[in-house]
Amino acid sequence: GLAVCLVVLGGWVRYLKNPRAISWCFLLAAVTALYFTHLMALAIAGLVLTAYSLVDRRRLRELLLGWALFVPAAGFYLHTEWHLASSWNISYRPLTGKLVGLLTAVLGFSAPLDFFTLTVGGLFWFWACWGNRDFRWRAPWAGAAGLLFALYWIFPSDYGPGLNSDFRLLPFIVVVGLAAVRLGRRLKPLAVVALLLFFMRATALEFNFIARQPHLKALANAASVIPPGSRVLPLVRSGQPIPQVERQFWAFGVIERGWFSPCLFHDSGVQPLTIKLNVYDPYAFSFCGDLKRQIDWTRVRYDYDYVWALQTTEDEPELARVASAVYTTDGLRLYRVNRTARAGPPESQRARE
């Protein structure tokens, strides 16, 4: 989403310098593609385009042509909302959470490296700006960056299944903010420092990836235990210190082995797919969000073939009652649901029917 958003913004600036019909048509295609890439990036592109044009005092005709680029995408979005409308909860982060959240712009897999990046980057940025006679503000980009930064403080943290929505603004704020200044002769040394930090973090990321391979291979072997086409319920409690790649690793079984799960590709208002089966979903939202406090284990026993339980020791007594463990590795336990109790629908389901 960020890459396509930058393509749209860069194309808009070029169009303002040399307006041609063919350029506008290419921009129209890029904006429409951005809708299918990432909805938030589309909204940010619209805000930045508007702020840039207003601060740069562009003519009303140019601003209207910019807004016209978003008409097809807006039509697609409204069509989706009309057919897949749903009421989602909105959550807001406290001020302390917003302040700490600013650090996520450099968040990686190594806390010492994150601290080093933040310290070195901050010192060199201060050096590049302080006492620099070549320092200049680019008013249009500065206005757009300021608008996004102000939006960050009032933006909700969660909107339905969209978790950490406010943190997703930060990469856009950083990139647009970098375009808001001219550093003159000090730009090249700062660029060298930025490249060195990038290669250090990329190397650390690669080493982290290699170090996790044995554990991820064990998880992949676990997926082969469950037959294709099975009904699988992933139990992954929120609040546990589980890496994101492990938290969502079960989803590969849906794509590669045809598992059925209510936690992927079935969010009303997000994907145009719906579940025709009347299956039990113990999650408040899909994408495996927050589990309900009381799980209906009778429905689990009736509706599912296997349970993928990742670091859920508190559920082991109930799981042992309705299922049998068939695979265990590094915090993951696979359970095969006991079929002896699946002769008919549970009373809770018969009452609804």
Side-chain angles (χ1 to χ4, degrees), residues 33-108:
L34 182 57
Y35 167 79
F36 294 103
T37 304
H38 202 286
L39 190 59
M40 178 176 286
L42 175 73
I44 291 174
L47 288 174
V48 173
L49 183 149
T50 301
Y52 183 96
S53 302
L54 291 176
V55 176
D56 203 34
R57 297 183 179 181
R58 291 288 173 173
R59 293 176 299 174
L60 178 60
R61 178 179 178 275
E62 293 175 323
L63 182 59
L64 293 178
L65 285 174
W67 287 347
L69 296 171
F70 295 82
V71 170
F76 290 137
Y77 176 75
L78 292 176
H79 177 270
T80 302
E81 286 298 305
W82 287 333
H83 290 79
L84 298 173
S86 60
S87 57
W88 287 343
N89 294 328
I90 299 178
S91 302
Y92 289 89
R93 204 181 305 275
L95 179 61
T96 54
K98 292 284 189 179
L99 290 171
V100 175
L102 294 174
L103 300 177
T104 60
V106 294
L107 187 63

Side-chain angles (χ1 to χ4, degrees), residues 160-352:
L163 305 179
N164 296 321
S165 300
D166 50 350
F167 290 170
R168 303 185 187 196
L169 287 171
L170 294 175
F172 296 92
I173 296 173
V174 171
V175 173
V176 176
L178 290 175
V181 295
R182 293 179 182 270
L183 299 176
R185 290 169 293 180
R186 297 187 185 183
L187 177 60
K188 290 184 178 180
L190 187 64
V192 171
V193 173
L195 285 175
L196 290 176
L197 290 175
F198 169 77
F199 284 119
M200 288 178 60
R201 295 181 65 85
T203 302
L205 179 64
E206 184 68 17
F207 275 106
N208 178 79
F209 175 78
I210 295 174
R212 290 182 181 272
Q213 289 311 298
H215 179 58
L216 296 179
K217 185 177 181 180
L219 296 182
N221 292 336
S224 64
V225 174
I226 301 178
S230 300
R231 298 185 183 184
V232 180
L233 175 65
L235 291 183
V236 186
R237 295 268 183 187
S238 60
Q240 297 289 342
I242 304 174
Q244 193 70 10
V245 63
E246 298 180 24
R247 184 180 295 275
Q248 300 178 351
F249 199 90
W250 60 268
F252 287 100
V254 177
I255 300 171
E256 296 183 358
R257 298 183 63 81
W259 296 350
F260 169 82
S261 174
C263 300
L264 190 66
F265 300 142
H266 301 293
D267 285 277
S268 180
V270 179
Q271 289 95 15
L273 305 175
T274 57
I275 300 176
K276 294 183 178 180
L277 299 176
N278 184 20
V279 294
Y280 173 63
D281 183 2
Y283 288 94
F285 296 106
S286 293
F287 300 139
C288 282
D290 294 327
L291 278 168
K292 298 175 182 177
R293 293 183 178 180
Q294 296 296 330
I295 299 178
D296 189 344
W297 294 105
T298 303
R299 291 295 310 274
V300 172
R301 185 170 53 183
Y302 175 76
D303 287 338
Y304 293 96
D305 301 310
Y306 288 85
V307 176
W308 176 289
L310 182 63
Q311 297 187 19
T312 54
T313 54
E314 65 271 28
D315 297 316
E316 288 183 2
E318 294 292 341
L319 283 168
R321 184 175 60 85
V322 301
S324 303
V326 295
Y327 187 89
T328 303
T329 178
D330 295 337
L332 172 66
R333 295 174 69 89
L334 297 185
Y335 291 87
R336 182 173 56 240
V337 176
N338 297 329
R339 293 180 176 274
T340 56
R342 297 181 65 190
E347 294 183 1
S348 58
Q349 181 173 341
R350 288 200 299 268
R352 289 195 303 273

